[in-house]
Amino acid sequence: MKLKKVAMGITVVMASSLLLVGCGSSDDSSKDKKSTDTKQTETKKTAKTDGTMTDGTYKLEEKNFDDKGWKGFMSIEVKDGKITKANYDYKNKDGKLKSEDADYEKAMKAKVGTGPQEYLKQLSDSLVKNQAAASVEVVSGATHSSDAFINYANQLIQAAQKADTTTISINNLAKMEDGTYKLEEQNYAHGYRVVFSMDVKDGKITKSDYNYVDKDGKLKSDDADYEKNMKAKSGTGPKEYIPALNKSLVEKQDVAAVDTVSGATNSSNQFKIYAAQLQNAAQNGNTDTIKVYNLVEAE
């Protein structure tokens, strides 16, 4: 049986069944309301479940300014099912862009060898080139921003897969609200799809349950044949790396600090991206299950 691969609409600062805020006019006239309702209906009609992206512009914004006075925003443009443009930047309360701040550029570049003028463009170009968030190259010296970009790119790709042009709102810096937060891939690859739940209590992650399930409900971590074959090839299998990732998230309480498991790099990266999305959901207190219409391509 030919293998399949997942081009994750991943889709690491932190991912969500996010609180969405409407974009467009706030005019309350019945004419505009009717127009808005029509657009929403059209969006539902064009929504897909096969993981392919619908043409359009998809946007995301952070709600809160950080301790240096910046908050991030991002958009991607999709045409003919491909990302043709990505724009990631930060703005301050005056609307000034970090990429245009000469003083910030000079200070950061002197310290770490890169500045927003360079790394923001590099990240955006990498997404357009690779067409998948998980394949974006982390920029040396800008790891934190790279992690945020990958997380946000994932969520925007998922929005494009669902043809949802509503601006995604990230409640960055907010404390996680108590509850159970869930994410599930809808499509199978290699016979499995990801299921992930995260419990939060007193603002802390108390349990992480990341795994893969087949059509019969069997977990990959219980699949002896898969374990044997993978371990022979890479030195580890789902019986080892899945519990290791879950344990690391609970211990570190920080997606960026989760240890990548040697021999399971792709799964580790996927875990981090989905964990970041769940943390964003927890920051919004949104316990709706996140449905990921992951793209699966046959060889």
Side-chain angles (χ1 to χ4, degrees):
M1 179 178 180
K2 292 186 177 180
L3 295 178
K4 299 180 180 179
K5 65 178 182 178
V6 178
M8 285 194 311
I10 294 191
T11 187
V12 181
V13 162
M14 311 298 94
S16 85
S17 181
L18 296 164
L19 173 65
L20 301 176
V21 295
C23 58
S25 172
S26 59
D27 193 327
D28 290 331
S29 69
S30 58
K31 181 178 179 181
D32 284 352
K33 186 177 185 300
K34 184 177 180 181
S35 175
T36 301
D37 290 343
T38 301
K39 288 180 181 178
Q40 290 175 341
T41 301
E42 288 173 352
T43 297
K44 290 178 181 177
K45 286 181 180 178
T46 57
K48 304 174 183 179
T49 59
D50 62 356
T52 57
M53 292 183 287
T54 296
D55 293 1
T57 299
Y58 302 89
K59 300 178 181 180
L60 175 150
E61 291 184 0
E62 291 180 345
K63 292 177 67 176
N64 308 305
F65 293 96
D66 63 23
D67 57 359
K68 294 180 181 177
W70 301 98
K71 66 177 180 178
F73 65 93
M74 185 174 174
S75 67
I76 62 171
E77 292 181 15
V78 176
K79 186 176 182 181
D80 298 328
K82 301 289 183 181
I83 300 168
T84 57
K85 184 179 179 181
N87 179 47
Y88 176 53
D89 213 327
Y90 300 81
K91 58 186 175 183
N92 62 19
K93 292 179 181 179
D94 297 322
K96 184 175 181 179
L97 300 178
K98 186 182 282 189
S99 61
E100 297 175 354
D101 189 324
D103 291 335
Y104 196 105
E105 170 74 17
K106 183 179 178 181
M108 182 176 177
K109 200 166 185 178
K111 201 171 186 179
V112 298
T114 190
Q117 199 173 74
E118 292 82 27
Y119 76 76
L120 292 171
K121 184 178 186 305
Q122 283 180 254
L123 290 168
S124 294
D125 288 348
S126 182
L127 179 61
V128 173
K129 175 186 175 183
N130 293 293
Q131 296 291 309
S135 301
V136 169
E137 297 148 8
V138 173
V139 179
S140 178
T143 304
H144 181 81
S145 292
S146 297
D147 288 345
F149 179 91
I150 292 169
N151 172 23
Y152 295 163
N154 167 52
Q155 297 191 44
L156 287 170
I157 289 171
Q158 288 180 11
Q161 289 170 329
K162 291 183 279 190
D164 188 349
T165 56
T166 309
T167 299
I168 298 170
S169 178
I170 301 291
N171 196 12
N172 58 310
L173 307 180
K175 181 181 178 180
M176 291 185 292
E177 296 184 22
D178 292 0
T180 299
Y181 301 89
K182 298 179 181 180
L183 178 151
E184 293 186 1
E185 289 182 342
Q186 303 301 293
N187 301 321
Y188 294 88
H190 301 278
Y192 285 95
R193 64 184 177 89
V194 170
V195 290
F196 195 169
S197 70
M198 183 180 79
D199 291 349
V200 175
K201 186 175 182 180
D202 298 328
K204 301 289 185 181
I205 300 169
T206 57
K207 183 179 179 182
S208 174
D209 187 7
Y210 169 80
N211 215 315
Y212 302 75
V213 64
D214 67 12
K215 293 179 180 179
D216 296 322
K218 184 178 181 180
L219 298 177
K220 185 182 282 189
S221 57
D222 294 332
D223 188 329
D225 290 335
Y226 198 107
E227 170 75 15
K228 181 180 178 181
N229 293 331
M230 181 175 176
K231 200 166 186 178
K233 283 184 178 181
S234 63
T236 190
K239 191 174 180 179
E240 292 79 32
Y241 78 76
I242 288 175
L245 290 169
N246 286 320
K247 181 181 179 182
S248 185
L249 179 61
V250 174
E251 288 182 347
K252 302 292 178 61
Q253 293 290 311
D254 178 7
V255 172
V258 169
D259 299 314
T260 297
V261 179
S262 178
T265 302
N266 289 338
S267 292
S268 297
N269 291 338
Q270 181 190 58
F271 174 88
K272 291 179 184 180
I273 291 170
Y274 283 158
Q277 190 171 1
L278 285 173
Q279 283 193 317
N280 286 154
Q283 287 173 317
N284 280 325
N286 192 337
T287 57
D288 292 342
T289 299
I290 301 168
K291 295 182 179 181
V292 179
Y293 292 99
N294 50 307
L295 176 64
V296 179
E297 298 175 335
E299 291 187 344

Short mmCIF file of all heavy atoms in Angstrom, two decimals, residues 184-237:
data_model
loop_
_atom_site.label_atom_id
_atom_site.label_comp_id
_atom_site.label_asym_id
_atom_site.label_seq_id
_atom_site.Cartn_x
_atom_site.Cartn_y
_atom_site.Cartn_z
N GLU A 184 -8.40 17.79 16.64
CA GLU A 184 -8.43 16.52 15.91
C GLU A 184 -8.24 16.75 14.42
O GLU A 184 -8.88 17.62 13.83
CB GLU A 184 -9.78 15.80 16.11
CG GLU A 184 -10.03 15.31 17.51
CD GLU A 184 -11.32 14.49 17.60
OE1 GLU A 184 -11.98 14.31 16.56
OE2 GLU A 184 -11.66 14.05 18.71
N GLU A 185 -7.35 15.99 13.83
CA GLU A 185 -7.26 15.98 12.37
C GLU A 185 -8.46 15.20 11.84
O GLU A 185 -8.91 14.24 12.46
CB GLU A 185 -5.96 15.32 11.91
CG GLU A 185 -4.72 16.15 12.20
CD GLU A 185 -3.44 15.51 11.70
OE1 GLU A 185 -3.45 14.28 11.44
OE2 GLU A 185 -2.43 16.22 11.59
N GLN A 186 -8.95 15.62 10.70
CA GLN A 186 -10.12 14.98 10.12
C GLN A 186 -9.76 13.94 9.06
O GLN A 186 -10.55 13.05 8.76
CB GLN A 186 -11.03 16.05 9.49
CG GLN A 186 -11.48 17.13 10.47
CD GLN A 186 -12.23 16.57 11.66
OE1 GLN A 186 -13.33 16.06 11.51
NE2 GLN A 186 -11.65 16.68 12.85
N ASN A 187 -8.56 14.06 8.49
CA ASN A 187 -8.15 13.16 7.42
C ASN A 187 -7.03 12.23 7.87
O ASN A 187 -6.16 12.61 8.66
CB ASN A 187 -7.69 13.98 6.21
CG ASN A 187 -8.79 14.89 5.70
OD1 ASN A 187 -9.96 14.51 5.67
ND2 ASN A 187 -8.44 16.11 5.32
N TYR A 188 -7.05 11.01 7.36
CA TYR A 188 -6.06 10.00 7.74
C TYR A 188 -4.84 10.04 6.81
O TYR A 188 -4.98 10.26 5.61
CB TYR A 188 -6.68 8.60 7.70
CG TYR A 188 -7.75 8.38 8.73
CD1 TYR A 188 -9.08 8.72 8.46
CD2 TYR A 188 -7.44 7.85 9.98
CE1 TYR A 188 -10.07 8.53 9.41
CE2 TYR A 188 -8.43 7.65 10.94
CZ TYR A 188 -9.75 7.99 10.64
OH TYR A 188 -10.73 7.80 11.59
N ALA A 189 -3.66 9.81 7.39
CA ALA A 189 -2.43 9.68 6.61
C ALA A 189 -1.64 8.52 7.20
O ALA A 189 -1.51 8.41 8.42
CB ALA A 189 -1.61 10.97 6.70
N HIS A 190 -1.15 7.64 6.35
CA HIS A 190 -0.50 6.41 6.83
C HIS A 190 -1.46 5.62 7.70
O HIS A 190 -1.05 4.88 8.61
CB HIS A 190 0.77 6.72 7.61
CG HIS A 190 1.81 7.47 6.84
ND1 HIS A 190 2.69 6.87 5.97
CD2 HIS A 190 2.08 8.79 6.81
CE1 HIS A 190 3.47 7.78 5.44
NE2 HIS A 190 3.12 8.96 5.93
N GLY A 191 -2.77 5.83 7.48
CA GLY A 191 -3.77 5.09 8.24
C GLY A 191 -4.15 5.70 9.57
O GLY A 191 -4.97 5.15 10.30
N TYR A 192 -3.53 6.85 9.90
CA TYR A 192 -3.79 7.47 11.19
C TYR A 192 -4.09 8.96 11.06
O TYR A 192 -3.74 9.59 10.05
CB TYR A 192 -2.57 7.32 12.11
CG TYR A 192 -2.39 5.93 12.69
CD1 TYR A 192 -1.54 5.01 12.07
CD2 TYR A 192 -3.07 5.54 13.83
CE1 TYR A 192 -1.37 3.73 12.60
CE2 TYR A 192 -2.90 4.26 14.37
CZ TYR A 192 -2.05 3.37 13.75
OH TYR A 192 -1.89 2.11 14.27
N ARG A 193 -4.73 9.52 12.08
CA ARG A 193 -4.93 10.96 12.19
C ARG A 193 -4.65 11.37 13.64
O ARG A 193 -4.79 10.58 14.57
CB ARG A 193 -6.34 11.37 11.78
CG ARG A 193 -7.45 10.81 12.66
CD ARG A 193 -8.83 11.19 12.14
NE ARG A 193 -9.90 10.61 12.94
CZ ARG A 193 -10.44 11.18 14.01
NH1 ARG A 193 -10.03 12.37 14.41
NH2 ARG A 193 -11.41 10.58 14.69
N VAL A 194 -4.23 12.61 13.83
CA VAL A 194 -3.87 13.10 15.16
C VAL A 194 -5.10 13.41 16.00
O VAL A 194 -6.07 14.01 15.51
CB VAL A 194 -3.00 14.37 15.05
CG1 VAL A 194 -2.83 15.04 16.43
CG2 VAL A 194 -1.64 14.04 14.47
N VAL A 195 -5.06 13.02 17.26
CA VAL A 195 -6.03 13.46 18.26
C VAL A 195 -5.21 14.01 19.43
O VAL A 195 -4.23 13.40 19.84
CB VAL A 195 -6.96 12.32 18.73
CG1 VAL A 195 -7.93 11.93 17.63
CG2 VAL A 195 -6.16 11.10 19.19
N PHE A 196 -5.61 15.16 19.94
CA PHE A 196 -4.79 15.84 20.95
C PHE A 196 -5.71 16.56 21.93
O PHE A 196 -6.60 17.30 21.53
CB PHE A 196 -3.90 16.87 20.23
CG PHE A 196 -2.75 17.42 21.02
CD1 PHE A 196 -1.78 18.17 20.39
CD2 PHE A 196 -2.62 17.20 22.38
CE1 PHE A 196 -0.69 18.69 21.08
CE2 PHE A 196 -1.54 17.71 23.10
CZ PHE A 196 -0.57 18.47 22.44
N SER A 197 -5.52 16.32 23.20
CA SER A 197 -6.26 17.06 24.22
C SER A 197 -5.29 17.56 25.28
O SER A 197 -4.25 16.93 25.54
CB SER A 197 -7.36 16.21 24.86
OG SER A 197 -6.81 15.19 25.67
N MET A 198 -5.63 18.69 25.88
CA MET A 198 -4.77 19.31 26.88
C MET A 198 -5.63 19.83 28.02
O MET A 198 -6.60 20.56 27.79
CB MET A 198 -3.99 20.46 26.23
CG MET A 198 -3.00 21.15 27.12
SD MET A 198 -2.16 22.51 26.22
CE MET A 198 -3.43 23.78 26.33
N ASP A 199 -5.33 19.42 29.25
CA ASP A 199 -6.07 19.88 30.42
C ASP A 199 -5.32 21.02 31.09
O ASP A 199 -4.10 20.95 31.28
CB ASP A 199 -6.24 18.74 31.43
CG ASP A 199 -7.18 17.65 30.94
OD1 ASP A 199 -7.87 17.87 29.93
OD2 ASP A 199 -7.22 16.57 31.57
N VAL A 200 -6.07 22.06 31.46
CA VAL A 200 -5.49 23.22 32.14
C VAL A 200 -6.21 23.42 33.47
O VAL A 200 -7.44 23.42 33.53
CB VAL A 200 -5.61 24.50 31.28
CG1 VAL A 200 -5.11 25.72 32.06
CG2 VAL A 200 -4.85 24.35 29.97
N LYS A 201 -5.43 23.58 34.53
CA LYS A 201 -6.00 23.87 35.84
C LYS A 201 -5.12 24.90 36.54
O LYS A 201 -3.90 24.77 36.55
CB LYS A 201 -6.09 22.59 36.69
CG LYS A 201 -6.82 22.81 38.02
CD LYS A 201 -6.99 21.50 38.78
CE LYS A 201 -7.77 21.74 40.08
NZ LYS A 201 -7.95 20.49 40.85
N ASP A 202 -5.77 25.93 37.10
CA ASP A 202 -5.05 27.02 37.75
C ASP A 202 -4.03 27.65 36.80
O ASP A 202 -2.93 28.05 37.22
CB ASP A 202 -4.35 26.53 39.03
CG ASP A 202 -5.34 26.01 40.06
OD1 ASP A 202 -6.48 26.53 40.11
OD2 ASP A 202 -5.00 25.08 40.80
N GLY A 203 -4.40 27.68 35.53
CA GLY A 203 -3.56 28.32 34.54
C GLY A 203 -2.36 27.50 34.10
O GLY A 203 -1.50 27.99 33.35
N LYS A 204 -2.27 26.24 34.54
CA LYS A 204 -1.15 25.38 34.20
C LYS A 204 -1.63 24.15 33.42
O LYS A 204 -2.74 23.67 33.63
CB LYS A 204 -0.42 24.91 35.47
CG LYS A 204 0.14 26.03 36.33
CD LYS A 204 1.33 26.69 35.67
CE LYS A 204 1.96 27.73 36.58
NZ LYS A 204 3.11 28.41 35.95
N ILE A 205 -0.77 23.64 32.55
CA ILE A 205 -1.09 22.41 31.82
C ILE A 205 -0.86 21.24 32.76
O ILE A 205 0.26 21.01 33.23
CB ILE A 205 -0.20 22.26 30.58
CG1 ILE A 205 -0.38 23.44 29.63
CG2 ILE A 205 -0.52 20.94 29.85
CD1 ILE A 205 0.65 23.51 28.52
N THR A 206 -1.92 20.52 33.07
CA THR A 206 -1.81 19.40 34.00
C THR A 206 -1.78 18.04 33.27
O THR A 206 -1.35 17.05 33.84
CB THR A 206 -2.99 19.40 34.99
OG1 THR A 206 -4.22 19.36 34.25
CG2 THR A 206 -2.95 20.65 35.86
N LYS A 207 -2.25 18.03 32.04
CA LYS A 207 -2.24 16.78 31.27
C LYS A 207 -2.17 17.08 29.78
O LYS A 207 -2.83 17.99 29.29
CB LYS A 207 -3.51 15.97 31.56
CG LYS A 207 -3.56 14.61 30.86
CD LYS A 207 -4.84 13.85 31.20
CE LYS A 207 -4.92 12.52 30.49
NZ LYS A 207 -6.18 11.78 30.79
N SER A 208 -1.34 16.32 29.09
CA SER A 208 -1.24 16.41 27.63
C SER A 208 -1.45 15.02 27.07
O SER A 208 -0.78 14.06 27.47
CB SER A 208 0.14 16.93 27.22
OG SER A 208 0.30 16.88 25.81
N ASP A 209 -2.40 14.87 26.17
CA ASP A 209 -2.71 13.57 25.58
C ASP A 209 -2.71 13.70 24.06
O ASP A 209 -3.70 14.00 23.44
CB ASP A 209 -4.07 13.07 26.07
CG ASP A 209 -4.36 11.64 25.61
OD1 ASP A 209 -3.46 11.00 25.03
OD2 ASP A 209 -5.49 11.18 25.82
N TYR A 210 -1.53 13.49 23.50
CA TYR A 210 -1.32 13.57 22.05
C TYR A 210 -1.10 12.16 21.53
O TYR A 210 -0.30 11.40 22.08
CB TYR A 210 -0.09 14.44 21.77
CG TYR A 210 0.44 14.42 20.35
CD1 TYR A 210 -0.17 15.18 19.36
CD2 TYR A 210 1.57 13.67 20.01
CE1 TYR A 210 0.33 15.19 18.06
CE2 TYR A 210 2.07 13.68 18.71
CZ TYR A 210 1.45 14.44 17.75
OH TYR A 210 1.95 14.46 16.47
N ASN A 211 -1.83 11.79 20.47
CA ASN A 211 -1.67 10.46 19.91
C ASN A 211 -2.23 10.45 18.49
O ASN A 211 -2.65 11.49 17.97
CB ASN A 211 -2.38 9.41 20.77
CG ASN A 211 -1.63 8.09 20.80
OD1 ASN A 211 -1.17 7.59 19.77
ND2 ASN A 211 -1.50 7.51 21.99
N TYR A 212 -2.21 9.29 17.88
CA TYR A 212 -2.80 9.09 16.55
C TYR A 212 -3.79 7.95 16.66
O TYR A 212 -3.56 6.99 17.42
CB TYR A 212 -1.72 8.71 15.52
CG TYR A 212 -0.60 9.68 15.35
CD1 TYR A 212 0.41 9.78 16.31
CD2 TYR A 212 -0.52 10.51 14.23
CE1 TYR A 212 1.47 10.67 16.14
CE2 TYR A 212 0.53 11.39 14.05
CZ TYR A 212 1.53 11.46 15.01
OH TYR A 212 2.57 12.34 14.86
N VAL A 213 -4.87 8.03 15.90
CA VAL A 213 -5.89 6.99 15.96
C VAL A 213 -6.21 6.53 14.53
O VAL A 213 -6.20 7.33 13.59
CB VAL A 213 -7.16 7.51 16.67
CG1 VAL A 213 -7.80 8.64 15.90
CG2 VAL A 213 -8.15 6.39 16.94
N ASP A 214 -6.47 5.23 14.36
CA ASP A 214 -6.85 4.75 13.03
C ASP A 214 -8.38 4.68 12.93
O ASP A 214 -9.10 5.05 13.87
CB ASP A 214 -6.20 3.39 12.71
CG ASP A 214 -6.69 2.24 13.59
OD1 ASP A 214 -7.71 2.41 14.31
OD2 ASP A 214 -6.06 1.16 13.57
N LYS A 215 -8.89 4.19 11.82
CA LYS A 215 -10.33 4.17 11.58
C LYS A 215 -11.08 3.23 12.52
O LYS A 215 -12.30 3.33 12.67
CB LYS A 215 -10.61 3.81 10.13
CG LYS A 215 -10.15 4.90 9.16
CD LYS A 215 -10.40 4.54 7.71
CE LYS A 215 -9.93 5.65 6.79
NZ LYS A 215 -10.14 5.32 5.35
N ASP A 216 -10.35 2.32 13.15
CA ASP A 216 -10.97 1.40 14.10
C ASP A 216 -10.82 1.89 15.54
O ASP A 216 -11.22 1.19 16.48
CB ASP A 216 -10.34 0.01 13.97
CG ASP A 216 -10.60 -0.61 12.60
OD1 ASP A 216 -11.71 -0.43 12.07
OD2 ASP A 216 -9.68 -1.26 12.06
N GLY A 217 -10.22 3.06 15.69
CA GLY A 217 -10.04 3.62 17.02
C GLY A 217 -8.79 3.14 17.73
O GLY A 217 -8.57 3.43 18.91
N LYS A 218 -7.93 2.42 17.02
CA LYS A 218 -6.69 1.91 17.61
C LYS A 218 -5.65 3.01 17.65
O LYS A 218 -5.47 3.75 16.68
CB LYS A 218 -6.18 0.71 16.79
CG LYS A 218 -4.94 0.05 17.39
CD LYS A 218 -4.53 -1.16 16.55
CE LYS A 218 -3.30 -1.84 17.14
NZ LYS A 218 -2.89 -3.02 16.33
N LEU A 219 -4.92 3.11 18.76
CA LEU A 219 -3.89 4.14 18.92
C LEU A 219 -2.56 3.69 18.32
O LEU A 219 -2.19 2.51 18.42
CB LEU A 219 -3.70 4.46 20.40
CG LEU A 219 -4.91 5.04 21.14
CD1 LEU A 219 -4.57 5.23 22.62
CD2 LEU A 219 -5.34 6.37 20.52
N LYS A 220 -1.86 4.65 17.74
CA LYS A 220 -0.56 4.33 17.15
C LYS A 220 0.42 3.84 18.22
O LYS A 220 1.26 2.96 17.96
CB LYS A 220 0.02 5.55 16.44
CG LYS A 220 1.33 5.26 15.71
CD LYS A 220 1.91 6.51 15.06
CE LYS A 220 1.20 6.86 13.77
NZ LYS A 220 1.91 7.95 13.03
N SER A 221 0.32 4.39 19.42
CA SER A 221 1.22 3.98 20.51
C SER A 221 1.00 2.52 20.92
O SER A 221 1.84 1.94 21.60
CB SER A 221 1.04 4.89 21.72
OG SER A 221 -0.31 4.88 22.16
N ASP A 222 -0.13 1.93 20.50
CA ASP A 222 -0.42 0.53 20.80
C ASP A 222 -0.20 -0.40 19.60
O ASP A 222 -0.46 -1.61 19.69
CB ASP A 222 -1.88 0.38 21.27
CG ASP A 222 -2.15 1.07 22.58
OD1 ASP A 222 -1.21 1.20 23.39
OD2 ASP A 222 -3.31 1.49 22.80
N ASP A 223 0.28 0.17 18.51
CA ASP A 223 0.46 -0.60 17.27
C ASP A 223 1.85 -1.25 17.28
O ASP A 223 2.86 -0.60 16.99
CB ASP A 223 0.31 0.33 16.06
CG ASP A 223 0.28 -0.41 14.74
OD1 ASP A 223 0.93 -1.47 14.64
OD2 ASP A 223 -0.37 0.08 13.80
N ALA A 224 1.90 -2.52 17.59
CA ALA A 224 3.17 -3.24 17.73
C ALA A 224 3.97 -3.29 16.42
O ALA A 224 5.20 -3.16 16.42
CB ALA A 224 2.91 -4.66 18.23
N ASP A 225 3.28 -3.49 15.30
CA ASP A 225 3.97 -3.56 14.02
C ASP A 225 4.58 -2.22 13.64
O ASP A 225 5.71 -2.14 13.16
CB ASP A 225 2.99 -4.00 12.91
CG ASP A 225 2.59 -5.45 13.06
OD1 ASP A 225 3.37 -6.23 13.67
OD2 ASP A 225 1.49 -5.83 12.59
N TYR A 226 3.82 -1.14 13.85
CA TYR A 226 4.32 0.20 13.55
C TYR A 226 5.54 0.49 14.43
O TYR A 226 6.56 1.03 13.96
CB TYR A 226 3.22 1.24 13.80
CG TYR A 226 3.47 2.57 13.12
CD1 TYR A 226 2.72 2.95 12.00
CD2 TYR A 226 4.43 3.45 13.58
CE1 TYR A 226 2.96 4.16 11.37
CE2 TYR A 226 4.67 4.66 12.97
CZ TYR A 226 3.92 5.02 11.86
OH TYR A 226 4.14 6.21 11.23
N GLU A 227 5.42 0.14 15.71
CA GLU A 227 6.52 0.35 16.66
C GLU A 227 7.78 -0.36 16.20
O GLU A 227 8.88 0.22 16.17
CB GLU A 227 6.09 -0.16 18.04
CG GLU A 227 7.19 -0.24 19.08
CD GLU A 227 7.61 1.10 19.64
OE1 GLU A 227 6.87 2.09 19.44
OE2 GLU A 227 8.69 1.18 20.26
N LYS A 228 7.63 -1.62 15.82
CA LYS A 228 8.78 -2.43 15.42
C LYS A 228 9.46 -1.86 14.18
O LYS A 228 10.69 -1.72 14.13
CB LYS A 228 8.32 -3.87 15.15
CG LYS A 228 9.44 -4.82 14.75
CD LYS A 228 8.89 -6.22 14.51
CE LYS A 228 10.00 -7.17 14.07
NZ LYS A 228 9.45 -8.55 13.81
N ASN A 229 8.65 -1.51 13.17
CA ASN A 229 9.21 -0.99 11.91
C ASN A 229 9.88 0.36 12.09
O ASN A 229 10.97 0.60 11.56
CB ASN A 229 8.10 -0.88 10.86
CG ASN A 229 7.57 -2.23 10.43
OD1 ASN A 229 8.28 -3.23 10.47
ND2 ASN A 229 6.30 -2.28 10.02
N MET A 230 9.24 1.27 12.82
CA MET A 230 9.80 2.60 13.00
C MET A 230 11.06 2.56 13.85
O MET A 230 12.05 3.23 13.56
CB MET A 230 8.77 3.55 13.63
CG MET A 230 9.30 4.96 13.80
SD MET A 230 8.05 6.12 14.41
CE MET A 230 9.09 7.60 14.58
N LYS A 231 11.02 1.75 14.90
CA LYS A 231 12.17 1.66 15.80
C LYS A 231 13.39 1.09 15.08
O LYS A 231 14.52 1.51 15.33
CB LYS A 231 11.81 0.81 17.01
CG LYS A 231 12.72 1.04 18.20
CD LYS A 231 12.12 0.45 19.47
CE LYS A 231 12.98 0.83 20.68
NZ LYS A 231 12.38 0.31 21.94
N ALA A 232 13.15 0.16 14.16
CA ALA A 232 14.25 -0.43 13.40
C ALA A 232 14.89 0.60 12.48
O ALA A 232 16.10 0.57 12.23
CB ALA A 232 13.74 -1.62 12.59
N LYS A 233 14.07 1.55 12.00
CA LYS A 233 14.56 2.57 11.07
C LYS A 233 15.17 3.77 11.76
O LYS A 233 16.20 4.30 11.32
CB LYS A 233 13.42 3.05 10.17
CG LYS A 233 13.04 2.09 9.07
CD LYS A 233 11.96 2.71 8.19
CE LYS A 233 11.60 1.79 7.04
NZ LYS A 233 10.56 2.39 6.16
N SER A 234 14.53 4.25 12.82
CA SER A 234 14.96 5.51 13.41
C SER A 234 15.42 5.45 14.87
O SER A 234 15.86 6.43 15.43
CB SER A 234 13.83 6.53 13.30
OG SER A 234 12.70 6.09 14.04
N GLY A 235 15.28 4.27 15.48
CA GLY A 235 15.73 4.12 16.86
C GLY A 235 14.69 4.44 17.91
O GLY A 235 14.93 4.31 19.10
N THR A 236 13.52 4.87 17.46
CA THR A 236 12.43 5.13 18.39
C THR A 236 11.11 4.82 17.70
O THR A 236 11.05 4.71 16.47
CB THR A 236 12.42 6.60 18.87
OG1 THR A 236 11.48 6.75 19.95
CG2 THR A 236 12.03 7.56 17.75
N GLY A 237 10.06 4.66 18.51
CA GLY A 237 8.74 4.39 17.96
C GLY A 237 7.69 5.15 18.75
O GLY A 237 8.00 5.80 19.75
#
